[in-house]
Amino acid sequence: MRRVVRQSKFRHVFGQAVKNDQCYDDIRVSRVTWDSSFCAVNPRFVAIIVDASGGGAFLVLFFFFFFGRIDKSYPTVCGHTGPVLDIDWCPHNDQVIASGSEDCTVMVWQIPENGLTLSLTEPVVVLEGHSKRVGIVAWHPTARNVLLSAGCDNAIIIWNVGTGEALINLDDMHVDMIYNVSWNRNGSLICTSSKDKKVRVIDPRKQEIVAVSLCDN
Ligand SMILES: *[C@@H]1O[C@H](CO)[C@@H](O)[C@H](O)[C@H]1NC(C)=O
Ligand SMILES: *[C@@H]1O[C@H](CO)[C@@H](O)[C@H](O)[C@H]1NC(C)=O
């Protein structure tokens, strides 16, 4: 009989759920139809996109501060006028998070040092440029204040968050919905997957597609 060896590099790692007294409970995670993880984590906070009537909201919970039931009245980040679809913590500042929404905008938020005690309605900056909902936000991994967003208008915009201006607008590279976007390690390239069944590697500075998968079916 062959011995079954798990090939994964995580084969010696076994996860175990923590006890109930170290869990968050009763969180109304967003039920909007969108392929997103609906959460984002950094060394200080966990953020979770939640259901909100008449707008969009996400929770920001300070780790180790408390666990247990999250009351319905718990403060949220709630400045969008439509559901929030994606969130991403800034890699250079643990107090800063970006959100993309069905309201076609991207917002960047400054979370107070010790987390939210009141709901936050005023973003640091609103980034307007997409003509349809914004489903993906992803910070540049190395350059400060550079954020990418992808919308259902099939466009990718790279923003200077400091000035609120679009640095690069890649609106002619995709013919169909963008499913996901990923930066390479130093942020010189981005990779996208799209509903047209193609994977593209794009050099955003040169604004050109440097590679595209050759799958026709
Ligand atoms: C999108 O890509 C990121 C990596 O850049 C990955 O962590 C995430 O799970 C992907 N999201 C979806 C919905 O596939
Ligand atoms: C970034 O990484 C790529 C390889 O992934 C490399 O070719 C390129 O020179 C790097 N750029 C910078 C500015 O370091």
Side-chain angles (χ1 to χ4, degrees):
M1 245 208 207
R2 270 181 64 210
R3 271 194 29 221
V4 179
V5 178
R6 294 197 300 156
Q7 287 302 315
S8 164
K9 65 183 171 184
F10 298 113
R11 64 180 174 273
H12 302 299
V13 177
F14 294 92
Q16 195 176 8
V18 293
K19 296 206 177 79
N20 275 347
D21 61 1
Q22 286 177 50
C23 288
Y24 299 107
D25 203 11
D26 221 9
I27 295 176
R28 287 147 223 271
V29 179
S30 175
R31 282 170 300 173
V32 67
T33 327
W34 186 250
D35 199 8
S36 163
S37 59
F38 295 121
C39 64
V41 68
N42 75 11
R44 307 197 77 199
F45 301 108
V46 57
I48 304 145
I49 303 174
V50 290
D51 262 337
S53 51
F58 58 94
L59 286 167
V60 174
L61 305 173
F62 197 34
F63 275 135
F64 313 120
F65 189 58
F66 79 98
F67 297 102
R69 197 171 158 268
I70 303 299
D71 194 82
K72 212 178 156 206
S73 63
Y74 195 88
T76 58
V77 178
C78 53
H80 283 288
T81 57
V84 177
L85 301 177
D86 195 24
I87 47 179
D88 194 33
W89 288 105
C90 174
H92 300 106
N93 184 337
D94 284 349
Q95 307 298 130
V96 172
I97 188 168
S99 57
S101 164
E102 231 169 83
D103 69 11
C104 306
T105 70
V106 175
M107 292 183 178
V108 177
W109 307 88
Q110 172 90 37
I111 305 300
E113 195 62 26
N114 292 319
L116 296 178
T117 49
L118 288 170
S119 280
L120 189 59
T121 55
E122 286 298 316
V124 183
V125 64
V126 182
L127 306 172
E128 291 176 318
H130 285 286
S131 59
K132 292 199 177 149
R133 59 187 180 153
V134 183
I136 299 163
V137 285
W139 290 94
H140 191 282
T142 56
R144 278 177 190 267
N145 282 332
V146 177
L147 177 71
L148 171 157
S149 62
C152 291
D153 52 5
N154 302 341
I156 290 176
I157 302 180
I158 298 175
W159 305 90
N160 176 343
V161 172
T163 62
E165 284 163 14
L167 291 171
I168 296 167
N169 196 329
L170 305 170
D171 57 4
D172 57 356
M173 311 231 144
H174 294 87
V175 293
D176 213 335
M177 176 120 85
I178 301 163
Y179 280 158
N180 205 352
V181 181
S182 178
W183 290 98
N184 69 341
R185 202 179 282 260
N186 65 14
S188 64
L189 298 170
I190 56 179
C191 180
T192 67
S193 60
S194 166
K195 195 176 174 188
D196 68 1
K197 299 180 183 164
K198 291 205 166 101
V199 172
R200 293 168 175 80
V201 177
I202 297 168
D203 182 329
R205 284 183 196 81
K206 290 188 186 145
Q207 307 203 20
E208 67 185 31
I209 298 171
V210 295
V212 59
S213 62
L214 292 175
C215 174
D216 287 330
N217 38 40

